[in-house]
C-alpha cells in the first residue's frame, strides 16, 4: 500500500493550475477541463472537477494497493465503511470512509 495522491476539488481548473504551478509544482498531466495532476516530484495533487471527485467538495486521500478486494476486506474488518469497487477510466477503485467519516 502507498499513498497515490491527494485529490482536491477544482471548480476552476485553469485558475487552480495557475495557482499550484506558481508555488513551484509541475504539471504531470491534464485531462481536458476534468482533471489535472501536479507534483513536487514526490507528492502528487490531483485537481478534479465535480465529475472526477470521489466525494463532492471534499479533499480525498488516494491509496494505491496491489489487491483491492483484500484491502477492502481488511479495512471493513478494521471499522471502515467500503463501497462496491467500480472500474473507472484509469483504475479500479472503491470509496472507503474511515471510522470518523474521512474519505479515502
Amino acid at each position: 500500500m502507498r499513498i497515490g495522491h491527494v485529490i482536491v476539488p477544482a471548480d476552476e481548473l485553469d485558475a487552480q493550475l495557475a495557482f499550484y504551478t506558481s508555488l513551484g509544482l509541475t504539471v504531470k498531466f491534464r485531462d481536458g477541463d476534468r482533471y489535472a495532476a501536479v507534483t513536487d516530484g514526490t507528492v502528487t495533487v490531483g485537481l478534479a472537477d465535480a465529475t472526477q471527485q470521489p466525494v463532492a467538495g471534499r479533499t480525498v486521500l488516494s491509496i494505491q494497493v496491489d489487491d483491492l478486494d483484500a484491502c477492502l476486506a481488511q479495512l471493513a474488518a478494521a471499522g471502515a465503511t467500503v463501497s462496491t469497487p467500480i472500474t473507472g477510466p484509469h483504475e479500479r477503485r472503491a470509496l472507503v470512509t474511515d471510522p470518523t467519516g474521512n474519505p479515502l
Side-chain angles (χ1 to χ4, degrees):
M1 180 182 319
R2 72 179 188 88
I3 295 173
H5 57 287
V6 178
I7 303 168
V8 176
D11 296 325
E12 298 292 333
L13 188 58
D14 288 331
Q16 283 176 277
L17 271 174
F19 173 77
Y20 285 99
T21 56
S22 76
L23 296 175
L25 299 178
T26 303
V27 177
K28 285 179 75 169
F29 71 90
R30 181 173 180 163
D31 186 359
D33 290 328
R34 307 174 335 133
Y35 187 88
V38 294
T39 186
D40 65 357
T42 303
V43 176
T44 298
V45 175
L47 304 172
D49 79 358
T51 68
Q52 301 303 302
Q53 295 171 24
V55 179
R58 297 278 307 266
T59 297
V60 177
L61 179 63
S62 168
I63 305 288
Q64 293 180 337
V65 299
D66 292 328
D67 185 337
L68 181 60
D69 297 312
C71 183
L72 292 175
Q74 178 183 3
L75 292 170
T81 301
V82 302
S83 72
T84 301
I86 61 169
T87 300
H90 303 289
E91 73 283 312
R92 187 166 173 257
R93 64 182 181 257
L95 180 64
V96 175
T97 52
D98 71 17
T100 61
N102 295 304
L104 307 172

